[in-house]
Amino acid sequence: MALGFMKNVFTFGKKDAPKDEQTVLPEDETEAPEAATPEPEAPAETVTEVESADPWDDDSIVGGVVGPSQSEPEEPATPEEPAAETPTAPEAPPAVEEPAVDEPAAEALPEAEQQPDPAAPKNRGFEITSGAKPEAVPSQPAKRLSWFQRLKAGLFRTSQQLSGQIAALFTKRKLDEEALEELEDLLIQADLGVETAMRITDTLSSERYGRDVTGTDVSRIMAGEITKVLGPVAKPLALDLSKKPHVILVVGVNGTGKTTTIGKLAAKLTGAGLKVTLGAGDTFRAAAIEQLKIWADRTGADFVGTKLGADAAGLAYDAFKRGQENGSDVVIIDTAGRLQNKAELMDELAKIVRVLGKLDPDAPHTVLQTLDATTGQNAMNQVEIFRNIAGVSGLVMTKLDGTARGGILVAIAAKHKLPVYFIGVGEGIDDLEPFEAEEFAQAIAGTTEEEQA
């Protein structure tokens, strides 16, 4: 399956060449059937045709732009001609090699079949606390790495930097006061925060003081203490559908992934059978409006937009009303977030909150702030500002795959104790997943479940 996809990518736009070869080779064999030279070419042609007959050889896989190849109906007939014309023994080796080409696809099938028990509900990162629960749309089998594997890959730079420094610190050295102070400084520099750094060093001191210490010992204790800090904030997004629509206001600095996060969240909600309306409240950027419209089309959500520079509070009003009229379960509203004009845009954000409050005293029901992990300590200041203006009730951490400063989430959780609903480690629609404290801690510390046990 994977080889079919790779072959399709590298031959995209060059499919005319194989067709010409297929028409020339049979003619050569017909004109000189007794010649010895065309015979070695027949196995090569057979292998080429078998590869092109891969059921995953479909240009529609690449972004859905191009449909299936028009030459597919001719492919089954082409392999049969060499088989009939050349029944000699030398052709047996290529026939034996054909399964070897398809073996990766065959091996991928059991992985797709190993689905979790349907009786065990999947953690989607949100839960419906009251109201009717719609029937969920069946999900397709995953054909990628597991979420934990992607999380470890995304946090590799963070864990590699930490583990390398820790290993260098405790090479052939006993744990003493000087070593503990150096470790504490190292953890603070990694943006884990003073409180978490002290917890780790205190626990390490109580267990190993005066004894030899390895990097594995420190990583194990670090993962355990980070889990204790993050455990209380790892919560699902609660949706009260007894009153519709549930309004989610998404805030954050531009560049933190607000619009993309809204699209991914909409995909999760519509996949669970909920009706969603998206409001393009970032009226300062034309690209944000267009991008949210694309996400609405992709996820099947309703879209409410306006012209560039329009009043964002008025857009929020329209989105809420549209959600009421079309029976939406959830309305998600995007906002502008340029901190360089902090006073003006923060006043506008406060106005949006007031307008929604007039339509529903409890609205917005959820204020979700997106944070860019690459900003490090600046993310801590952003939480402080938006929490005071908009009453942030939960966080989403994005771009963890592009930084060595992923530990900032631990420091934010320790200080603000706000729920962390989702984290993102990529641009794909499935790269936004519910936040799991233990998995995150293990990925940062570079440990595994076996090491923790």
Side-chain angles (χ1 to χ4, degrees), residues 209-246:
Y209 190 82
R211 302 163 61 186
D212 290 335
V213 178
T214 64
T216 302
D217 295 330
V218 179
S219 296
R220 174 180 56 80
I221 292 174
M222 180 168 60
E225 293 304 318
I226 291 176
T227 301
K228 292 178 184 178
V229 173
L230 297 178
V233 303
K235 299 178 180 179
L237 173 59
L239 301 177
D240 183 1
L241 299 185
S242 60
K243 298 179 180 179
K244 297 183 182 181
H246 183 100

Side-chain angles (χ1 to χ4, degrees), residues 146-156 423 425 439-440 443:
S146 68
W147 168 246
F148 183 66
Q149 290 172 323
R150 283 182 282 155
L151 179 62
K152 288 197 69 173
L155 290 172
F156 176 73
I423 55 176
V425 291
E439 289 184 353
F440 187 88

Side-chain angles (χ1 to χ4, degrees), residues 25-242:
L25 289 177
E27 292 177 1
D28 292 342
E29 294 175 0
T30 306
E31 294 174 0
E34 298 178 359
T37 54
E39 293 181 358
E41 298 177 1
E45 182 183 357
T46 304
V47 174
T48 303
E49 290 303 315
V50 171
E51 291 177 350
S52 64
D54 191 335
W56 289 92
D57 185 12
D58 188 348
D59 291 340
S60 63
I61 296 175
V62 186
V65 178
V66 183
S69 174
Q70 299 299 324
S71 61
E72 289 181 356
E74 301 175 1
E75 291 178 352
T78 307
E80 296 178 0
E81 296 177 6
E85 294 175 4
T86 57
T88 57
E91 295 183 356
V96 175
E97 293 176 1
E98 291 174 5
V101 176
D102 295 335
E103 278 181 2
E107 292 176 359
L109 293 177
E111 297 179 3
E113 295 175 356
Q114 293 177 359
Q115 297 298 318
D117 186 357
K122 183 179 182 299
N123 181 9
R124 296 178 179 271
F126 64 89
E127 61 180 2
I128 300 173
T129 58
S130 62
K133 296 184 179 181
E135 183 178 353
V137 178
S139 59
Q140 297 297 325
K143 299 176 182 178
R144 307 196 316 167
L145 295 176
S146 68
W147 168 246
F148 183 66
Q149 290 172 323
R150 283 182 282 155
L151 179 62
K152 288 197 69 173
L155 290 172
F156 176 73
R157 293 177 62 184
T158 302
S159 63
Q160 184 184 42
Q161 177 174 300
L162 267 174
S163 59
Q165 293 173 336
I166 290 172
L169 178 62
F170 290 103
T171 300
K172 297 180 180 180
R173 183 177 182 180
K174 293 185 182 297
L175 184 65
D176 54 18
E177 290 298 332
E178 183 180 356
L180 287 171
E181 290 180 4
E182 291 183 22
L183 176 61
E184 186 173 318
D185 291 342
L186 188 156
L187 296 174
I188 293 174
Q189 292 172 9
D191 289 328
L192 288 174
V194 176
E195 180 181 338
T196 304
M198 292 180 63
R199 293 182 60 149
I200 294 172
T201 53
D202 289 346
T203 303
L204 182 63
S205 176
S206 64
E207 291 188 12
R208 308 289 298 180
Y209 190 82
R211 302 163 61 186
D212 290 335
V213 178
T214 64
T216 302
D217 295 330
V218 179
S219 296
R220 174 180 56 80
I221 292 174
M222 180 168 60
E225 293 304 318
I226 291 176
T227 301
K228 292 178 184 178
V229 173
L230 297 178
V233 303
K235 299 178 180 179
L237 173 59
L239 301 177
D240 183 1
L241 299 185
S242 60

Side-chain angles (χ1 to χ4, degrees), residues 328-383:
S328 289
D329 299 295
V330 180
V331 172
I332 309 177
I333 302 174
D334 193 7
T335 62
R338 288 176 292 175
L339 279 181
Q340 58 266 32
N341 298 324
K342 181 172 62 177
E344 176 185 351
L345 289 178
M346 286 301 176
D347 288 344
E348 182 181 80
L349 183 58
K351 181 180 178 182
I352 293 174
V353 174
R354 291 196 304 270
V355 169
L356 291 173
K358 292 179 180 179
L359 295 171
D360 183 344
D362 297 326
H365 306 93
T366 300
V367 180
L368 201 60
Q369 180 176 356
T370 58
L371 297 171
D372 182 347
T374 63
T375 60
Q377 288 296 324
N378 285 336
M380 183 82 74
N381 299 330
Q382 293 169 18
V383 175

